[in-house]
Amino acid sequence: MIDRRIKFRHIQCLVEIAQERSLKLAADKLGLTQPAVSKTLKELEEIVGATLMTRNRAGIALTKQGEVFLHFAQISLASLQQGLDGVEKEGDQARATLNVGVLPSVAASLMPPVIREFSEMAPHVMIRIMDGPHSHLIEHLKLGKLDLVIGRLGRPASMEAVSFTQLYSERVDLVVRAGHPLLQNPDIKRITDWPVIYPPEGAAIRPLVERFMIANGVGDLPNKVETVSGAFGRIYTRKTDAVWIISSGVVQNETADGHLVRLPFDTDITKGPVGLMTRPEAPQRPEEQVFRLAVQRVIEDLMLSS
């Protein structure tokens, strides 16, 4: 049974401090004084009988007990917001929704476990997922049609008015079907002998791939298909002798089960940050806060490094 001494202000205060990592910033956001916020946090810690946060030079840090409490506090706020939204919409079927854009590598590797985690944490929130090229998703984000986007950091011009929080790093792979003749004598310059599936203009990995090609002395590709379509790439690469140049996350499942094989080339030069993109001016809804928590938990479980 919930301790009746815990009030909404306690929950809201904890969540804001955890998000801002600062008592002062949390106080400003809540429209309170810093001593008032500090007092509210102390009250909550006395009620639950545990230290939830500690102070250090970097600001505020959650204890293990604090992380557990925050998890359920965010779910509670999200559920309350859903209830308020439902009353406002006067619809029995009204549901809170979160619109998420994902680049192909994220859609194939990170999102399945994230959605599973998020569904357990916030089962009544409906997720709408849109995948596609970087430019398309960023345009929808800026127009407010997406709440957030997860994918590679784009070119500076495309990232104007977009906030980027890095989650981990990812490289580009060159993959072929099992038994491909290039596997017998791997030579990067020989990829011109076969069809190449290449990232198109506007793709986040295009500049990295171009730099990789120049660094390895690869000239013009006479037989090139430009696309970011994972569906096309998976089938075409398995059915032909094509070489597919693509983010490792897109083909993670196929290389794990042996249907596709990564060519043994050093592609560390193509490593780039994958992160969460939002509109800086947009308020962070409870659903998004819980989603961010789900993403972070999955990244930690998968041991992805930033």
Side-chain angles (χ1 to χ4, degrees), residues 99 164 167 296:
N99 300 297
F164 181 88
L167 300 172
Q296 198 56 53

Side-chain angles (χ1 to χ4, degrees), residues 75 78 82 95 117-126 287 290:
I75 293 174
Q82 292 169 35
R95 295 180 65 186
E117 181 79 12
F118 181 76
S119 297
E120 293 177 358
M121 295 167 66
H124 302 298
V125 178
M126 182 172 65
E287 297 85 13
V290 178

Side-chain angles (χ1 to χ4, degrees), residues 152 169-173 246-248 262 267-268 270-272:
R152 284 244 185 185
S169 296
E170 184 182 50
R171 70 167 186 266
V172 172
D173 281 343
I246 192 67
S247 292
S248 60
R262 179 180 181 270
T267 59
D268 280 354
T270 66
K271 274 189 175 180

Side-chain angles (χ1 to χ4, degrees), residues 103 134-135 138 142 152-162 164 198-211 273 277:
L103 267 69
H134 187 275
S135 57
I138 292 300
K142 291 179 178 179
R152 284 244 185 185
L153 176 66
R155 299 180 182 184
S158 70
M159 297 300 293
E160 291 181 3
V162 173
F164 181 88
Y198 201 83
E201 285 287 348
I205 64 172
R206 173 79 175 227
L208 302 174
V209 172
E210 290 177 337
R211 185 171 61 178
M277 290 161 270

Side-chain angles (χ1 to χ4, degrees), residues 85-287:
D85 290 344
V87 171
E88 290 173 358
K89 294 176 182 176
E90 297 182 354
D92 293 336
Q93 303 303 317
R95 295 180 65 186
T97 60
L98 191 66
N99 300 297
V100 181
V102 292
L103 267 69
S105 62
V106 175
S109 59
L110 185 68
M111 282 305 287
V114 166
I115 295 302
R116 183 170 60 246
E117 181 79 12
F118 181 76
S119 297
E120 293 177 358
M121 295 167 66
H124 302 298
V125 178
M126 182 172 65
I127 290 276
R128 293 195 182 106
I129 299 175
M130 175 188 291
D131 65 355
H134 187 275
S135 57
H136 176 73
L137 296 179
I138 292 300
E139 179 183 356
H140 277 67
L141 175 66
K142 291 179 178 179
L143 291 174
K145 296 180 180 179
L146 291 173
D147 295 307
L148 52 88
V149 171
I150 303 180
R152 284 244 185 185
L153 176 66
R155 299 180 182 184
S158 70
M159 297 300 293
E160 291 181 3
V162 173
S163 174
F164 181 88
T165 303
Q166 182 169 341
L167 300 172
Y168 59 94
S169 296
E170 184 182 50
R171 70 167 186 266
V172 172
D173 281 343
L174 284 77
V175 297
V176 294
R177 64 172 177 81
H180 193 285
L182 191 52
L183 291 169
Q184 299 174 9
N185 183 23
D187 182 348
I188 185 63
K189 293 184 175 63
R190 293 180 61 212
I191 69 169
T192 58
D193 296 341
W194 291 280
V196 175
I197 306 177
Y198 201 83
E201 285 287 348
I205 64 172
R206 173 79 175 227
L208 302 174
V209 172
E210 290 177 337
R211 185 171 61 178
F212 171 78
M213 292 297 178
I214 293 171
N216 285 275
V218 179
D220 184 51
L221 300 172
N223 190 356
K224 181 169 62 174
V225 178
E226 295 191 356
T227 182
V228 292
S229 171
F232 171 80
R234 289 183 183 90
I235 299 299
Y236 190 69
T237 306
R238 288 179 62 178
K239 299 292 185 181
T240 70
D241 284 338
V243 178
W244 188 10
I245 305 175
I246 192 67
S247 292
S248 60
V250 175
V251 290
Q252 176 178 295
N253 296 323
E254 286 71 23
T255 54
D257 61 26
H259 290 145
L260 295 177
V261 182
R262 179 180 181 270
L263 290 168
F265 303 139
D266 182 2
T267 59
D268 280 354
I269 193 176
T270 66
K271 274 189 175 180
V274 175
L276 194 148
M277 290 161 270
T278 58
R279 299 183 306 281
E281 77 283 357
Q284 194 176 118
R285 296 187 293 135
E287 297 85 13

Side-chain angles (χ1 to χ4, degrees), residues 22-48:
S22 163
L23 289 174
K24 183 180 183 305
L25 294 177
D28 292 342
K29 197 167 181 181
L30 292 169
L32 301 172
T33 64
Q34 186 171 331
V37 170
S38 182
K39 180 182 178 182
T40 302
L41 175 61
K42 185 177 180 181
E43 288 176 359
L44 179 60
E45 291 179 326
E46 290 175 350
I47 293 170
V48 300

